[in-house]
Amino acid sequence: MNFSSDTAAPVHPAILEALAEANAGPAPSYGADKWTAAAKAALAEVFETDLDMWLVPSGTAANALSLALICPSHGAIACHEEAHIERDERGAPEFYTGGAKLALLPGPHAKIDLGALKIRLAASRPGFVHEVPVCALSLSNLTESGAAYTVSEIAERADLARAHGFVHLDGARFANALVTTGATPAELSWKAGINLMSFGATKNGAIGCEAILLFGEARKFAPDLMARAKRAGHMPPKMRFLAAQMGAYLKDGLWLDLARRSNAAARQLAESLVKAGGKLAHPVDGNEVFCRLPAGAADRLSAAGAAFYPWPDGSHRFVCSWATSDAEIEAAVRLLA
Amino acid sequence: MNFSSDTAAPVHPAILEALAEANAGPAPSYGADKWTAAAKAALAEVFETDLDMWLVPSGTAANALSLALICPSHGAIACHEEAHIERDERGAPEFYTGGAKLALLPGPHAKIDLGALKIRLAASRPGFVHEVPVCALSLSNLTESGAAYTVSEIAERADLARAHGFVHLDGARFANALVTTGATPAELSWKAGINLMSFGATKNGAIGCEAILLFGEARKFAPDLMARAKRAGHMPPKMRFLAAQMGAYLKDGLWLDLARRSNAAARQLAESLVKAGGKLAHPVDGNEVFCRLPAGAADRLSAAGAAFYPWPDGSHRFVCSWATSDAEIEAAVRLLA
Amino acid sequence: MNFSSDTAAPVHPAILEALAEANAGPAPSYGADKWTAAAKAALAEVFETDLDMWLVPSGTAANALSLALICPSHGAIACHEEAHIERDERGAPEFYTGGAKLALLPGPHAKIDLGALKIRLAASRPGFVHEVPVCALSLSNLTESGAAYTVSEIAERADLARAHGFVHLDGARFANALVTTGATPAELSWKAGINLMSFGATKNGAIGCEAILLFGEARKFAPDLMARAKRAGHMPPKMRFLAAQMGAYLKDGLWLDLARRSNAAARQLAESLVKAGGKLAHPVDGNEVFCRLPAGAADRLSAAGAAFYPWPDGSHRFVCSWATSDAEIEAAVRLLA
Amino acid sequence: MNFSSDTAAPVHPAILEALAEANAGPAPSYGADKWTAAAKAALAEVFETDLDMWLVPSGTAANALSLALICPSHGAIACHEEAHIERDERGAPEFYTGGAKLALLPGPHAKIDLGALKIRLAASRPGFVHEVPVCALSLSNLTESGAAYTVSEIAERADLARAHGFVHLDGARFANALVTTGATPAELSWKAGINLMSFGATKNGAIGCEAILLFGEARKFAPDLMARAKRAGHMPPKMRFLAAQMGAYLKDGLWLDLARRSNAAARQLAESLVKAGGKLAHPVDGNEVFCRLPAGAADRLSAAGAAFYPWPDGSHRFVCSWATSDAEIEAAVRLLA
């Protein structure tokens, strides 16, 4: 019963096997290999558009490199006050941008409130030199509360931000959001106004592999991205082993299968928690359940060896992964019954 | 006949297998797992001392994070003018330190000339606010010319630098230097005055795994290292798969076997090149051969499909790896005969 | 009737004259002159303690250099959400620290709420690598709302923060706070737990001169301060002309006379505004008045040529300076009557 | 006999008087005042072109802010190996650019050797991600050895660099170079291919005032310059007192008169030194004399109270200023005879 994090889960076997397949003799270093080319082609197909991309081993690296492309050191990035880039990355955006600010916005379920965004953007005065103007917007889908933005919710926010700068998406759990919304990858990203994104695979079965994707006009940043990745130590010589992960992840829809699996597990767990008297703090749009537990439930689960975290808002967070087994869910259900 | 780089080589099977072994069920994220603990213990045993460590996927990351610990933004790091940190890392030390300088020193075979170091350090005036004082020394072993510093050569340079700051070692090819010098890991590092080092495995059979090692007094930097690694995106959630590489690399002396193999291949190749009329530009102390080729040799090798690089000094560089086969060497020998 | 800002005011004649006096023949550059020595001695006398200091031409420079000494790039500085360092310095703290965060706290009259500070500090976990821990506290006296912290209010906040790091004071209007509280400079700074401060003269009659003062344990940062000031272009060669300003400012209590004058003007203006039906939004503890004006008053004042600013909270801000004349106040009073 | 530095000299009385004239009542802060507008207009007239500008109190600030506009954090600035930005600014360019490199070039009299520049630029490979490409060129006129580049020498270097990026001029002693070359300000700057420059007044009679000038295409950087200046603490509220200095400096050709005076003093001193058996190490194109002194001369001068510096190349540096008196020169001449 490990619901601590989807990063505690093991790697999907197909992804490990892909490493062995990529280990065939010598290959050019630093991304000039055929696996990297194939990963790029696969991403372009999945997203139905030409794109530029780079692979990094962590979401923090993907987010911070992306944001450094679109926000100058003297600008601000609008994001939710609970966003991963604000709360969980030890100031990575500030490091990579050379000291930009995050402009924090409220909103239920860690979705940026549309009205608050409107007000904040209207207050941003690029010509008033004393203040830090908003130069970029960063959205997360799934959000930090496990909710999914719909296509139109993304589009509404991106539309507002366009006049101020580029729009980034933290898609560490993008697959989970896709499965729930039923949107295509293109619809939930560039077609809705996303200019560049962190496309996560790690939380959904990879070893450590996140793609930075540049769409449309943002493709002009590709050389800058290469320079910054290199300079940050995020251009490991044997790139083929990052690329092989991405290739296997996308092949035959594995990534969506895995997301469906973890989403289903989360729904099942959520139902049991509710039946047992718990109250969901947020919609279960993906593989995370935030639940205010009934008295005694947390202790009972912990005593039985279940791993999960108390959350700052008073709820508890349970994360399911592609590897969460029926047995784990059933064991939890039994304990809650 | 791929002599282009040891990073073009495939991964040693034992290291790939270790990933599969580490893929057993859930495990704590961010380095709190048992494989990371085991890697640390193995490194401590190999280096015969307690130490702190962190694992990153590239030598650039290992070097830059290390240097950021020991040099303030307003200081300089003394290094060889051909050092990897100066020539090949797109300014990573400058990025991670927040704008420190590299103080470049000459010396044959990319070893820092002792006299030049003495003069440079004597000229460093920390109390003279207008100039950037030398605050750290970075040595590379193997050097960028494939030469090995002996224990006493390291110690002489480290002794000079001690009064100015800490001493870092770029050990991307440390195993190759060890095998040649016959020194122990401890002798060629902390016992000779190295305070912290980048201990490479990638060029010697790993997927992408370099350990930052903190010895003795430099262990005080461990919390700073964690914070900086996190902030740089170099704390991937599934650390166990980095740690498993290091574990397998060190197990039963695999790393030294691999280095012996690549060193032997280089020596054999060097002999053939010399017999064929080539002149070695640098001592072949490891797995790299720098040779001024006789007329026609480069063309003949290229035409036959051999991969190798012309070097700025007029020689050509041939790199052997653990995977360089006898057949490859023999093919080259035949072409040169 | 210029109530727009105390920086719109002219320079006090005694300070201009001091420049002419300092212009006597050659003098050593970069602060090795006798005027700089005298300014340091005068500051030590006024603050009744040995100290280190440096002079810069703007409060932004004083604050940002100070904060860079006490907060690492991967730490956070706790401050009020309306603090000048957050709102009005275009991200200077982020630039000088290399990307630290500001941890924003609420509180009436731009004083940090004690309870909120307690909760924020308790939530700071330096050992939890994912989050940015609070490493420093910055207070402002006068606050951005023109209120003065008393000695005990400063001490309470500094006491809480001590275990987390050093405490900085933005004293751009320190003289105004002193005059109101009746405290001595020592009592309202280092004796209350302030480790280093920006001691402003510009808003109170100087051309452009703010002293960074290091007290007690913080004096260890003096060499770092020098290096950072130099590197930032804040070590102008003819330092004597900055130092001469500070000397004249402190001489015979001029600085306190000037602050008394501007405080008195503000009180008089405030009384008239209240009599005319205005409501003070904040206590008038110094030379600033924040007032919700009765209907028509703002238009009447503007039409008559008065300069003042609307404030985000719905009030209007009126700033008096040492140069605000009785005639200006009386003219305003007549208009409001 | 103070030949230590032109920054040891006092301020010209007309410049001090201009401060008093600017001290007339209230004025808008942060450069929105009429003196700043007048300084800009005067600079445009002197340089015979529309331009953007900002005023800062030190050459280090002017240089570093300029370079941050034209070189990304992952690029390099080509400059002479003895340039002030390399030797005397404590890493200010690295700080302001966020970690760019300086690419150091040789050349006699601190002029960049044309052939060396050609080779360095040809070796710069912007598309090769591992190396730091040259993105900008910085020239100094006068050079660090007191030599003046002619118009055609500037143009030759700027022409080479144009394809790589913008060209900056460190004109801390631009007036001295103008007087010697007989060129107009326009000819020696933008007409010769300079895109932006640090135009110094401090070493030539001002208190502390250097203008950053943006010409032609580089004017697009004006908003970025404002943001960076603000963020660096280089937007002091009472800008009028910086602007008043520049106004007085340029009025009626005062700046060129002062430069003529210091240049003449240097020539006279140089002749005496040569007559006394000294050998000039560099051409005396401005107000600096670098001379290998005959035996005993340095001691004799020092004993008589003359101030001057030994230089790393074995010569001694004597700097004359607008305030160097005939009596000082004559006293030195007598001692040397």
Side-chain angles (χ1 to χ4, degrees), chain D residues 152-238:
Chain D
S152 65
E153 286 173 335
I154 294 282
E156 282 174 316
R157 285 152 184 82
D159 283 354
L160 283 178
R162 184 163 304 124
H164 297 262
F166 286 95
V167 183
H168 167 256
L169 182 74
D170 178 351
R173 293 187 182 97
F174 187 67
N176 304 87
L178 274 184
V179 161
T180 294
T181 58
T184 66
E187 287 166 355
L188 204 54
S189 60
W190 61 273
K191 286 187 176 173
I194 299 299
N195 301 108
L196 73 176
M197 72 180 285
S198 308
F199 175 71
T202 311
K203 287 172 167 28
N204 195 27
I207 298 170
C209 184
E210 313 277 307
I212 300 168
L213 305 181
L214 308 181
F215 301 120
E217 199 191 338
R219 297 184 67 189
K220 71 179 177 190
F221 296 123
D224 193 17
L225 173 56
M226 290 300 92
R228 289 178 184 273
K230 174 69 199 175
R231 178 175 178 78
H234 282 302
M235 191 175 281
K238 300 184 186 173

Side-chain angles (χ1 to χ4, degrees), chain A residues 134-153:
Chain A
V134 173
C135 297
L137 170 66
S138 181
L139 301 169
S140 305
N141 205 10
L142 299 184
T143 73
E144 286 302 304
S145 298
Y149 280 108
T150 62
V151 168
S152 65
E153 286 173 334

Side-chain angles (χ1 to χ4, degrees), chain B residues 200-214:
Chain B
T202 311
K203 287 172 168 27
N204 195 27
I207 297 170
C209 184
E210 312 277 309
I212 299 168
L213 305 180
L214 308 181

Side-chain angles (χ1 to χ4, degrees), chain A residues 57-123:
Chain A
S58 74
T60 296
N63 289 335
L65 279 165
S66 296
L67 296 172
L69 300 177
I70 60 172
C71 187
S73 59
H74 42 75
I77 300 148
C79 66
H80 195 276
E81 62 195 4
E82 296 174 23
H84 203 263
I85 58 171
E86 162 67 10
R87 291 246 174 127
D88 303 294
E89 302 187 352
R90 193 56 186 260
E94 288 86 350
F95 174 44
Y96 276 81
T97 58
K101 272 181 176 294
L102 301 188
L104 305 181
L105 294 166
H109 314 312
K111 288 185 190 177
I112 294 177
D113 180 77
L114 200 63
L117 177 59
K118 222 175 270 187
I119 289 166
R120 183 65 188 81
L121 292 175

Side-chain angles (χ1 to χ4, degrees), chain C residues 25 41 43 61 77 91 108 124 145 168 202 211 214 221 235-236 239 253 255 257 289 291 306 325:
Chain C
L43 284 161
I77 300 148
S124 178
S145 298
H168 166 256
T202 310
L214 307 181
F221 296 123
M235 191 174 280
M239 275 299 288
W255 65 302
D257 290 345
V289 182
C291 186
S325 65

Side-chain angles (χ1 to χ4, degrees), chain D residues 25-51:
Chain D
S29 307
Y30 303 114
D33 61 276
K34 67 181 178 188
W35 293 271
T36 302
K40 184 177 167 179
L43 285 161
E45 196 187 322
V46 159
F47 279 87
E48 300 175 70
T49 184
D50 280 346
L51 47 72

Side-chain angles (χ1 to χ4, degrees), chain B residues 44-107:
Chain B
E45 195 188 323
V46 159
F47 280 89
E48 301 175 68
T49 183
D50 279 346
L51 49 73
D52 285 293
M53 71 112 211
W54 193 243
L55 302 172
V56 291
S58 75
T60 295
N63 289 335
L65 279 165
S66 297
L67 296 172
L69 300 176
I70 60 173
C71 186
S73 59
H74 43 75
I77 299 148
C79 66
H80 194 277
E81 61 196 4
E82 295 175 23
H84 203 264
I85 58 171
E86 162 66 11
R87 292 246 175 129
D88 304 294
E89 301 187 351
R90 192 57 185 261
E94 289 85 351
F95 174 45
Y96 275 82
T97 57
K101 272 181 178 295
L102 302 188
L104 305 181
L105 293 165

